[in-house]
Amino acid sequence: MAAITRFPNKCMLPYFTIRKYVQTAQPKRLICTTLLKSNTQTLSRRLPFEMDTKVQKDVLLFSYKNDRFFLFLTIFGGIQFVFWSYLAGFTYTTLRDVENKEEKTVPKEESPKKPEALPWWRKMNLGENKYKNGIALLCTFVGYTIFCGSMLYPLRSVHSLHLLKGGEYVRITTYGVFGRKRVFEKPLRDLSCYVSRGAAPSTVPIKVKGRLFFYLLDVKRGTFLNPKLFDNTAGLKRNLTR
């Protein structure tokens, strides 16, 4: 009897206490579950201008196909570089310092015209160092400018823009030298679009953190396959200085 008497005191008391706690906690748990479901339903309702950017697969946002133009552009730049380089070398090695025959053969006191009265193109001696070196440098500068422009412009022209699975990264494909392609991936936080798609007159410039210059999306000849998704992902302006 002593054991039976001690049993309720030592064992039954914790049992009833736990049962009472569980019965008290059930309504609280039910309330928390109800609130969680209601909050989830509230968050699932999006505003009309919002959209889910966490795509389940890679999505093509922009496409611009003009391979032939960029191939010819790089070939043209290479030909121009060779031509202007040859012209610079030819100018530097061929032009000679030649004296003016009228000034040499006719004495100054008997000359019908003074040297100052001659046209400027007859007084100019292209063989002098200042003219010869100047022409050679000018030809070299023109050749390098055309060459660099024809090689740099395809590298900054976007061929295609993909939003990768998950919506956190993008894949940018640009044109390259002699029709090749260049592909790299960047997170969305490292992209900043400085002009909106609707306000851009001809191209949409996109700045990529850690890279010089802008990447250009041709609005007139290119195609935005998912314009709304582009506006909510790669088409946003971000602060890249952080």
Side-chain angles (χ1 to χ4, degrees), residues 119-161:
W120 64 271
W121 54 271
R122 294 185 63 180
K123 292 187 294 182
M124 183 181 296
N125 183 9
L126 297 179
E128 295 181 10
N129 289 332
K130 61 179 181 180
Y131 294 114
K132 181 174 65 175
N133 296 337
I135 294 174
L137 289 176
L138 178 63
C139 294
T140 304
F141 174 76
V142 172
Y144 270 101
T145 302
I146 296 176
F147 177 76
C148 293
S150 62
M151 298 299 166
L152 183 61
Y153 181 68
L155 296 176
R156 298 300 167 181
S157 298
V158 177
H159 172 266
S160 62
L161 178 65

Side-chain angles (χ1 to χ4, degrees), residues 213-227:
F213 307 108
F214 289 87
Y215 289 89
L216 306 176
L217 279 66
D218 197 317
V219 177
K220 294 183 177 180
R221 291 180 287 270
T223 305
F224 288 92
L225 302 177
N226 290 275

Side-chain angles (χ1 to χ4, degrees), residues 31-48:
I31 294 173
C32 293
T33 306
T34 306
L35 290 174
L36 182 60
K37 288 182 179 179
S38 62
N39 291 334
T40 305
Q41 292 176 357
T42 304
L43 292 175
S44 62
R45 300 193 191 99
R46 299 180 182 276
L47 296 175

